[in-house]
Amino acid sequence: MTLYDRIAGIYDPWSRSVTEDVEFYVGHALAVEGPVVELAVGTGRVAIPVARAGRRVIGVDSSSAMLAVARAAAREAGVDGLLDLRVGDLREPPVPERVDLVICPFRSLLHMRTEDEKLLALRAARNLLVDGGAFVFDVFAPSREDIEETNGRWLEREPGIFERADWDEDSRTLSLSVRSDAAETTFGLHWLSAPEWFRLLDEAELAVEALYGWFDGRPYDGDEDMVFVTRRR
């Protein structure tokens, strides 16, 4: 059982308010032909809107329970024929196909605990691309204000669903706990600075085409959020 298996039933209510990135990723999907690969597809929060827009999605996630929720949601949305969901790891996704676009939304690369693991995931994403294909993803590095406001406090994210952030600035690790009456889990996220991401992307032979500070395309100015558009070299 993965950490996300434990909260698959409450994941959608917990992340209900996270909608700001959907149009951004759908737009990138519509800019290419053929299928899109989504790494860490989860319950289909992004994949289902992409499928509704007419693109086939090959979705990879390590949590079979999350994928079961995604399959049910895709059937309800009438797009199950456009979703090909596979259990697998970001560092070695079970995708022999080569595509024009790979996406990894919602900061999922931060689940890779070390730089070496992140580099493996970046190289794996690159290897799924045709020459010139794009890998688009988002990550973050917390602000001092965010850490001070949330550290060690249980906050009600959605009605009946609470989360707690325990920050370790020395190791640059966030331990995020989620709980409700029905389920609970704790998982770790490890963040990097923008220059460190540039270095890893260069090592992975992915050229940075753009770095945005948000999904509306505003330039990155050192704030928390980083949205990368990269291309296979």
Side-chain angles (χ1 to χ4, degrees), residues 2-217:
T2 73
L3 295 174
Y4 276 92
D5 284 338
R6 300 173 186 171
I7 59 166
I10 65 168
Y11 182 86
D12 285 342
W14 172 56
S15 61
R16 182 183 292 116
S17 63
V18 184
T19 59
E20 63 273 0
D21 58 343
V22 174
E23 184 178 349
F24 173 83
Y25 283 109
V26 170
H28 278 276
L30 291 177
V32 301
E33 300 295 332
V36 174
V37 171
E38 182 178 346
L39 301 174
V41 68
T43 61
R45 184 184 63 84
V46 172
I48 289 172
V50 170
R52 282 187 181 134
R55 289 292 183 266
R56 179 171 168 253
V57 181
I58 301 169
V60 177
D61 202 281
S62 62
S63 169
S64 57
M66 294 279 278
L67 293 180
V69 174
R71 289 188 181 96
R75 284 194 299 270
E76 185 175 345
V79 295
D80 50 312
L82 289 173
L83 261 64
D84 179 354
L85 301 174
R86 308 174 187 181
V87 177
D89 191 284
L90 271 67
R91 293 158 293 189
E92 197 174 354
V95 182
E97 297 90 337
R98 296 297 173 261
V99 298
D100 290 305
L101 175 65
V102 175
I103 63 174
C104 188
F106 208 13
R107 305 165 171 179
S108 295
L109 281 174
L110 300 188
H111 287 296
M112 303 292 99
R113 294 170 295 178
T114 66
E115 289 194 16
D116 286 343
E117 290 183 356
K118 289 178 176 66
L119 183 56
L120 286 173
L122 293 174
R123 285 175 171 159
R126 178 195 179 275
N127 290 339
L128 301 179
L129 296 169
V130 300
D131 289 342
F135 176 44
V136 183
F137 66 97
D138 62 271
V139 289
F140 83 108
S143 67
R144 160 56 48 186
E145 181 180 59
D146 191 21
I147 291 174
E148 291 178 350
E149 287 181 354
T150 62
N151 189 45
R153 298 175 58 200
W154 282 104
L155 302 172
E156 192 169 17
R157 172 73 175 262
E158 296 290 345
I161 303 177
F162 297 82
E163 68 178 31
R164 171 177 167 148
D166 291 289
W167 304 91
D168 185 332
E169 292 184 81
D170 292 332
S171 64
R172 291 188 293 178
T173 300
L174 164 62
S175 178
L176 187 65
S177 300
V178 181
R179 66 172 172 82
S180 72
D181 289 340
E184 64 179 293
T185 196
T186 299
F187 48 82
L189 302 172
H190 177 266
W191 71 86
L192 298 176
S193 66
E196 289 168 318
W197 280 110
F198 272 94
R199 174 175 52 79
L200 288 180
L201 287 163
D202 183 61
E203 290 183 40
E205 298 186 80
L206 287 162
V208 178
E209 183 174 280
L211 171 56
Y212 302 121
W214 194 242
F215 300 101
D216 57 7

